[in-house]
Amino acid sequence: MNATVKWQKRLTFIGTADSGFSVPLGGSPRVGGDNDGFRPMELIATGLAGCTAMDTISILQKKRQDVTDFEVNVHAERAEEHPRVFTHIKIVYQITGHAVDEGAVLRAIKLSAEHYCPAQGMLSQVVPIDLEYQVYEAGENGERELVASGEYQKAEG
């Protein structure tokens, strides 16, 4: 895998990778940027969310779960001092659908966390990651009702 960032001006860059897509990177005005793109650490958190989301929805679809909406939220706490690394990460999976099986959700999260997601596998080596899930029953007019929630605990050892 190859990635490139090309400087545009001040703290503005365009990032590209093997896929051919581009993403803007920018800095905060307080550090000399123009607030015109993702911060690099935001991209790492977004990459983590996307990696585990793709695994999880793929597994749920293979398990024939009727998912109508799916979202993964990553909250990453950072050190106060430079290099301002992540110190703790929480991933919350929100699954909405019809009669979605909580066991299938747990299995999908487990497979992503322990087998498939390279971003989670790599980051979990250096920062604690907590995994939570919320399963909602889809209703009419976009309404939903929480039917299950909890934490996934990785097996020790």
Side-chain angles (χ1 to χ4, degrees):
M1 175 186 303
N2 297 297
T4 302
V5 294
K6 181 155 177 50
W7 181 56
Q8 305 296 301
K9 64 181 170 85
R10 296 175 32 95
L11 290 181
T12 301
F13 293 81
I14 299 296
T16 58
D18 289 343
S19 64
F21 292 100
S22 298
V23 62
L25 288 90
S28 164
R30 72 178 162 73
V31 296
D34 295 321
N35 204 29
D36 55 356
F38 276 93
R39 309 303 188 263
M41 293 301 282
E42 291 175 330
L43 284 174
I44 293 171
T46 301
L48 171 61
C51 183
T52 191
M54 288 180 186
D55 293 340
T56 303
I57 195 65
S58 176
I59 294 163
L60 289 171
Q61 289 172 334
K62 288 176 183 164
K63 290 182 169 289
R64 301 192 189 289
Q65 298 300 298
D66 187 4
V67 176
T68 59
D69 191 39
F70 178 58
E71 183 172 306
V72 174
N73 297 290
V74 168
H75 175 72
E77 296 175 15
R78 295 181 68 187
E80 292 295 321
E81 301 298 319
H82 288 284
R84 305 226 35 236
V85 298
F86 292 152
T87 58
H88 183 261
I89 297 172
K90 179 168 66 170
I91 303 173
V92 180
Y93 302 82
Q94 295 181 331
I95 302 99
T96 302
H98 301 286
V100 174
D101 179 58
E102 183 179 7
V105 169
L106 282 166
R107 179 74 175 147
I109 291 170
K110 172 185 173 66
L111 287 170
S112 179
E114 297 182 17
H115 190 68
Y116 292 117
C117 179
Q120 196 168 167
M122 182 174 56
L123 290 171
S124 69
Q125 300 296 310
V126 294
V127 61
I129 300 177
D130 293 332
L131 307 173
E132 298 179 6
Y133 64 91
Q134 300 161 350
V135 181
Y136 295 89
E137 182 66 26
E140 294 180 23
N141 302 321
E143 297 170 9
R144 62 185 191 167
E145 178 184 350
L146 182 65
V147 294
S149 65
E151 297 179 12
Y152 172 74
Q153 299 292 325
K154 267 182 132 174
E156 295 296 321

